[in-house]
Amino acid sequence: MTAVEPAALVVAIILVVIVVSRLAAPLRVPAPIALLVVGAVLSAVPQVPEIRLSPEVALFGLLPPLLYSAALSSSLVDIRTFRSKILSLSVGLVLFTAFGVALVVWALLPGVSFALALALGAIVAPPDAVAATAVARRIGLPRKITTILEGESLLNDATALVTLRTALAAAGLAAHGAEITQVTFATVTLDLLVAAVGGVAVGVVAFVVIGWLRRRLTEVAADTALSFIAPFVAYAPAEAVGASGVLAVVTAGLLLAYRAPILQSAPSRLAERINWGSVTFVLENAVFLLIGLQVWTLIRDTRTGELGTGRTLAVAGAVLVTVLLLRPLWLLGQAAVQVLRGRADRRQVLGWSLVSGWAGMRGVVTLAAALTLPEETPMRPELVLIALVVTVGTLVLQGTTLPALARALDVRGPDPREDALQEATVLGATTGAGLRHLEADPDIDQDVLEVIRQQAADRVNRSWERLGTLGPTDRESPAEARARLRAEMIRAEREELLRIRGNGEVDHAVLTSVLGQLDAEETALGWNATRTAGVRASELRPPDRVAGACEHLADDSAPHPPSDTEGCPECRAEGLTWVHLRSCTECGHVGCCDSSVGQHASRHFHTSGHPVMRSIEPGEAWRWCFVDEVLG
């Protein structure tokens, strides 16, 4: 292979990923599945070079950054909240699946030792963090399910890899980079302790080191570059001492994400988010393309094996069915215990368990673990092909049917309107805290404070204006009108900037700085417009209670809002345009929100003293207390 060929191969893989992902989006076909199919087709084309994904590339090149990226987007607080459920799945379910698969393989293939069958079980046991969470977020599963899936798939790899190493040692084989050791209860226990405790310890050390460096880095580019080596700083030392590199990476990623607001500047956090988004897009999708490219190579290798391709695929089908059944069985068993103890609603827990049980897609870890099987492993090509069939089978069967199952069981994620409501409430609370801090300064210029106060009010109002509907005329809210006009203004400013650049009269660095400011502002405007459209287009459904209530909101005896309102009466009388409508829970008075010019809901409170207004927008059931500034 010439020096140009590897570079050309990398470019080709990235181009295929970009093109296939773009074409799959309008067809609503998940990009991982589309790339699997494309990879399988390409692997059968004679002109396409044979590509074998080595265990070194999978375990040390792909796995650490993918796990780190998943950890950065996960919540340490949420994982800690659901730790018992996550540990049950990441340890208990992995072992349950590994031994269940081992029994099936042992029964179907008498020539295979139980230890080797257990090794295969450990390979196919752990669901993949990338595949599971990507599908869960795409179809909008409840956050609790998504969090548990994230936590499980981040931690279960350590259990699976330790089980694999133990099973291979029992079979007289050595895993990749390991030595053959005698398997006893003591050695297994020691391996688990070293993997778990050592992995977490190395992850904490990596977090401390990287955090120390970040406090001393002021350059955004340097901080972003540091984040690119962070997963390897955690993974490599852990693997070198026999600990779990997976747990080290996950621990470091979770802690760094949790402490990011303290350790990093705002530009650094933004740059890290954007750059890791690009890296994750390429790696996630490239993994599935590479998996597909293995198909015909593995089939060819099994033709001359002990089992033959036909019997190997039959055993693979049995293993796939076993994997698909064991996970729901485990989760339904847990659900039954909760229902019997009276800790959960039977219908809800049944639906959540079935959906969670069907969200066990396998991915890069399964294939990487299969590739670590030593070359002298009996029936190695057959075992790797079985792992590939399980990976592809779960991605296709579960990935394509999970959305329909979630809809059939009415298991849905949070309403975007409810999210927007909570965001507006949190933004109002934080903005209020900032203003109170400034107002406590007796030396502050009151004119400057008034400008800041108006800017803060506009920012809060933009969040509120995403809620509700705007009526049959579908008119713009004030924030939308300002954003549209400012976007038109930015386009005109950019045209003038390009004209100035063409004359060559101004330094390039100055022009680049101005262009960067325009781009940043236009990006923010586009981001807000996209989020607003998403909230407006969301399905209306009764929202849950979204915040703690004060004594005024605790009174549920308030009258229902009027159903015959035709807008804000005071706005109509004054010739003004209202945005969203509120109704006083004490007297039924209808007024417009603070995003409207008249702000008649707030005026009603100041004149009447009635503390609570209720939204009467379609699909909303929240109330606001003007006295305590609390939403309920």
Side-chain angles (χ1 to χ4, degrees):
M1 180 178 288
T2 65
V4 177
E5 289 178 352
L9 181 61
V10 171
V11 170
I13 289 174
I14 295 176
L15 284 176
V16 171
V17 164
I18 294 172
V19 172
V20 173
S21 300
R22 179 65 185 88
L23 295 177
L27 301 176
R28 297 186 177 275
V29 176
I33 295 175
L35 286 162
L36 274 171
V37 173
V38 170
V41 172
L42 290 176
S43 69
V45 177
Q47 288 75 19
V48 175
E50 180 179 321
I51 299 176
R52 289 183 180 267
L53 188 61
S54 68
E56 292 84 0
V57 172
L59 287 176
F60 290 90
L62 298 177
L63 189 58
L66 286 175
L67 287 171
Y68 184 76
S69 176
L72 287 180
S73 61
S74 301
S75 167
L76 179 63
V77 175
D78 289 343
I79 289 177
R80 187 168 53 196
T81 300
F82 302 115
R83 59 184 178 275
S84 60
K85 185 76 171 179
I86 290 172
L87 286 175
S88 168
L89 296 175
S90 60
V91 178
L93 178 56
V94 167
L95 294 176
F96 178 67
T97 305
F99 278 93
V101 170
L103 289 173
V104 171
V105 174
W106 194 38
L108 293 176
L109 301 175
V112 174
S113 66
F114 184 79
L116 192 56
L118 180 60
L120 178 61
I123 289 171
V124 301
D128 181 57
V130 175
T133 55
V135 174
R137 286 173 176 164
R138 178 175 56 82
I139 67 177
L141 291 182
R143 286 207 178 96
K144 179 179 179 180
I145 292 180
T146 305
T147 299
I148 291 173
L149 290 175
E150 287 178 342
E152 174 203 0
S153 53
L154 285 173
L155 301 177
N156 59 14
D157 300 334
T159 306
L161 294 177
V162 170
T163 304
L164 172 61
R165 185 166 54 194
T166 303
L168 289 176
L173 300 165
H176 180 75
E179 298 179 356
I180 299 177
T181 57
Q182 185 178 0
V183 178
T184 64
F185 178 79
T187 59
V188 172
T189 303
L190 181 61
D191 278 349
L192 288 172
L193 286 175
V194 170
V197 178
V200 172
V202 173
V204 171
V205 172
F207 156 71
V208 172
V209 171
I210 295 170
W212 183 85
L213 290 172
R214 273 189 165 163
R215 287 181 180 274
R216 286 152 181 80
L217 289 177
T218 56
E219 301 85 358
V220 174
D223 185 86
T224 304
L226 179 64
S227 74
F228 287 152
I229 67 171
F232 306 102
V233 169
Y235 190 87
E239 290 293 318
V241 300
S244 171
V246 170
L247 284 180
V249 172
V250 169
T251 301
L254 288 173
L255 291 174
L256 286 170
Y258 183 72
R259 297 285 292 177
I262 299 173
L263 297 176
Q264 294 175 278
S265 65
S268 292
R269 291 195 301 273
L270 181 61
E272 182 181 48
R273 190 178 304 119
I274 294 172
N275 283 285
W276 270 104
S278 300
V279 171
T280 304
F281 168 78
V282 172
L283 291 183
E284 282 182 1
N285 291 292
V287 163
F288 294 109
L289 177 62
L290 290 171
I291 291 174
L293 289 170
Q294 310 291 304
V295 171
W296 288 109
T297 300
L298 291 172
I299 290 177
R300 185 190 61 202
D301 290 344
T302 58
R303 288 176 182 170
T304 57
E306 298 180 33
L307 298 180
T309 303
R311 190 177 177 191
T312 300
L313 292 176
V315 174
V319 173
L320 174 60
V321 171
T322 303
V323 167
L324 294 176
L325 292 178
L326 289 180
R327 181 180 176 86
L329 182 62
W330 177 274
L331 286 165
L332 288 174
Q334 288 187 327
V337 172
Q338 290 181 328
V339 172
L340 291 175
R341 291 181 177 180
R343 296 181 179 177
D345 176 74
R346 180 173 60 85
R347 183 174 180 179
Q348 183 189 61
V349 78
L350 176 63
W352 284 38
S353 298
L354 287 173
V355 170
S356 299
W358 201 244
M361 286 73 73
R362 271 61 177 176
V364 62
V365 175
T366 292
L367 185 62
L371 293 174
T372 62
L373 291 173
E375 291 295 334
E376 64 272 18
T377 303
M379 295 187 291
R380 184 182 185 276
E382 289 83 354
L383 297 179
V384 175
L385 181 59
I386 291 173
L388 178 62
V389 170
V390 171
T391 301
V392 176
T394 53
L395 284 172
V396 174
L397 292 176
Q398 295 179 318
T400 56
T401 58
L402 185 60
L405 178 65
R407 287 193 299 269
L409 296 174
D410 196 30
V411 177
R412 297 181 291 182
D415 188 343
R417 292 172 181 269
E418 185 178 328
D419 280 354
L421 184 59
Q422 292 193 35
E423 179 183 322
T425 307
V426 171
L427 185 59
T430 55
T431 301
L435 288 175
R436 287 192 295 273
H437 172 77
L438 294 181
E439 291 166 353
D441 184 358
D443 299 326
I444 193 170
D445 188 306
Q446 293 301 309
D447 292 334
V448 174
L449 179 61
E450 184 58 34
V451 172
I452 294 175
R453 186 182 289 117
Q454 184 58 50
Q455 291 174 342
D458 290 341
R459 186 169 62 252
V460 175
N461 287 340
R462 281 198 300 270
S463 290
W464 285 104
E465 288 172 18
R466 291 205 305 270
L467 294 161
T469 57
L470 297 176
T473 60
D474 196 28
R475 60 179 179 269
E476 291 179 312
S477 68
E480 289 172 327
R482 288 193 297 270
R484 176 178 56 80
L485 294 175
R486 179 55 188 151
E488 293 179 4
M489 184 177 174
I490 288 175
R491 285 192 288 272
E493 291 176 12
R494 185 179 290 110
E495 290 178 2
E496 177 63 13
L497 179 68
L498 296 178
R499 187 194 66 78
I500 295 173
R501 185 185 66 177
N503 292 335
E505 299 174 355
V506 180
D507 187 79
H508 176 72
V510 175
L511 295 174
T512 301
S513 175
V514 176
L515 181 61
Q517 295 175 47
L518 294 178
D519 289 344
E521 186 176 359
E522 187 176 37
T523 300
L525 291 173
W527 182 73
N528 283 322
T530 300
R531 300 193 66 207
T532 300
V535 173
R536 294 274 172 79
S538 65
E539 176 186 357
L540 291 172
R541 60 180 189 264
D544 298 327
R545 183 171 173 268
V546 297
C550 63
E551 59 179 0
H552 304 99
L553 295 175
D555 181 12
D556 291 329
S557 61
H560 290 289
S563 58
D564 58 347
T565 179
E566 296 181 358
C568 175
E570 291 164 297
C571 280
R572 293 203 308 270
E574 298 174 20
L576 302 176
T577 300
W578 64 88
V579 180
H580 301 138
L581 299 178
R582 316 286 183 248
S583 170
C584 177
T585 60
E586 190 165 332
C587 67
H589 176 84
V590 174
C592 58
C593 68
D594 285 353
S595 296
S596 309
V597 177
Q599 300 184 352
H600 292 115
S602 294
R603 291 190 186 185
H604 177 72
F605 160 68
H606 291 303
T607 57
S608 68
H610 298 165
V612 179
M613 297 290 284
R614 182 202 307 268
S615 172
I616 56 174
E617 293 293 325
E620 296 183 7
W622 54 268
R623 295 174 295 157
W624 174 262
C625 176
F626 284 97
V627 176
D628 301 297
E629 295 187 343
V630 174
L631 190 78

